Amino acid sequence: MSAPKTTLPSAPHTKPRRRLHPAWIVAAVAFLALVGAAGFRAAPGVLMVPLQNEFGWSTTVLSAAVSINLVLFGLTAPFAAALMERFGIRAVTSVALVLIGAGSALTVLVNQSWQILLTWGLLIGLGTGSMALVFAATIANTWFAKSRGLVIGILTAGSAAGQLVFLPFIAMLAQDPGWRQASLLIAAGALAVVPLVLKFLKNSPADAGVLPYGSDAAAEPAPSPASGGAAVPGGNGTAPDGNAAPGGNAAVRALQVLRRASEVRTFWALVAGFAICGATTNGLIGTHFIPSAHDHGMAETTAAGLLAVVGIFDIVGTIASGWLTDRFNPRILLAVYYQFRGIGLLVLPLLLSATVQPSMIVFVVIYGLDWVATVPPTAAICRQVFGADGSVVFGWVFAAHQLGAAAAALAAGAIRDATGQYTYAWFGAAAMCTIAAVISATIRKDAAAREPVLVEARAAEG
């Protein structure tokens, strides 16, 4: 007789625990870095009067410092993108935050007008330019294979969130104990994020031993060149993780990308649209909404409160735009955004009055939702059409955004001086938005399939 069989208890089936992908940790730290870098963007309007009262400087001098900052904020972006490819995201971001902190902290020592041009203009301009919207695009393109639009939307909202966080404290400190303490707060906000950046902001998925979030690639990632590894570039000039292979002079690379992109029609369509975007946000509403409202009898504090509401809804709108960009044609989204903005600017002169009417609240909410909703679809088109050059191309497109803002700020002021009101500035901006909508809608549907051929051919020649 055979012995009875014994059945051993089976090991309990355990489902493998899913850990958070490192890409989301990088995105969270990037968000905090953008918040820390955004402090100065809330400062000039609050600090101008205290500086004038103490030193007797003219508005022109302080406006010149802001103008230098604004131009550098835009023109630094494409070179910063190339530097991130050459030296890594972590190093460039850390240096940018230190520049912002140094410029803000050194402001407390100024006693000559040229010194404010150095601190507000040069140092903070270079720092904020390196932390511009191109930083969000670089993070999304490097670390994410899916949900890129959503990530860009969230990171872009970080700048708006930073302004909302710092603005009330800067205003409070500027009144008591004084503007120097407000400047130190901005410096502290920027420098406080540096340790987090150095510890958690990896340069690429390869540095963390993972693939980009959502990637279906089966191959293991190669080491990141920015961290000393030796990634082998592909035939199209990209590293195995899909990003541009680092190496060489970053400034030369930025200029080479500009030369190649300038021969592609879509690049100029994006440049024109984004220049109008900057003109109708930072340049016009951001600079002249408060004085225009004041011309109609509205208190400056009330008008500033309306702009704060714009900032709140900017966060919602930008994140929603990122979600939509992952699901719909980005060129159509751009056309819709620009046209809605144009309609808002067209009716704005009819809404301005001494008191806040419900119609003005509607305008503020809609304009806030649309403020930088254009960023995720613009970055998506850059990535689709220009591939590995997409982040640097977006840097050049963003430079056009800031140049458009500077031109509109100056033009609107001239219109106000010549006519005594801003009405023609609002109407002109509305017309420009319609032009941007038409340009965006006429970007070829197959641009992502056709134009990379030209881009790659120019890259091979260069």
Side-chain angles (χ1 to χ4, degrees), residues 291-386:
S292 180
H294 184 68
D295 286 345
H296 288 77
M298 184 179 293
E300 292 182 359
T301 53
T302 303
L306 291 175
L307 276 187
V309 176
V310 169
I312 293 172
F313 282 92
D314 174 23
I315 298 173
V316 178
T318 308
I319 294 175
S321 177
W323 184 86
L324 291 171
T325 299
D326 289 331
R327 291 160 175 79
F328 299 99
N329 190 324
R331 70 185 183 93
I332 300 301
L333 293 177
L334 282 177
V336 171
Y337 295 157
Y338 285 129
Q339 193 56 66
F340 266 100
R341 186 180 300 176
I343 294 172
L345 289 168
L346 187 64
V347 302
L348 179 58
L350 305 176
L351 306 180
L352 289 168
S353 65
T355 58
V356 179
Q357 302 296 326
S359 56
M360 176 56 74
I361 298 297
V362 173
F363 168 83
V364 166
V365 171
I366 293 177
Y367 216 85
L369 292 173
D370 198 5
W371 184 263
V372 287
T374 54
V375 172
T378 300
I381 294 174
C382 288
R383 182 180 64 250
Q384 292 169 1
V385 175
F386 298 98

Side-chain angles (χ1 to χ4, degrees), residues 20 133 241:
L20 182 67
L133 300 181
D241 60 4

Side-chain angles (χ1 to χ4, degrees), residues 36-37 40 69 93-110 115-128 179-180 182-192 194:
F40 178 79
N69 177 282
T93 303
S94 300
V95 171
L97 290 167
V98 169
L99 284 174
I100 296 170
S104 299
L106 290 174
T107 300
V108 305
L109 303 177
V110 302
Q115 295 169 340
I116 202 70
L117 301 180
L118 177 65
T119 56
W120 276 21
L122 182 62
L123 290 178
I124 299 179
L126 290 173
T128 54
W179 65 268
R180 287 180 175 82
S183 295
L184 292 175
L185 173 65
I186 298 169
L191 296 176
V194 174

Side-chain angles (χ1 to χ4, degrees), residues 195-207:
L196 293 175
V197 169
L198 292 174
K199 183 171 179 61
F200 296 109
L201 192 64
K202 305 293 185 182
N203 290 320
S204 73
D207 287 356

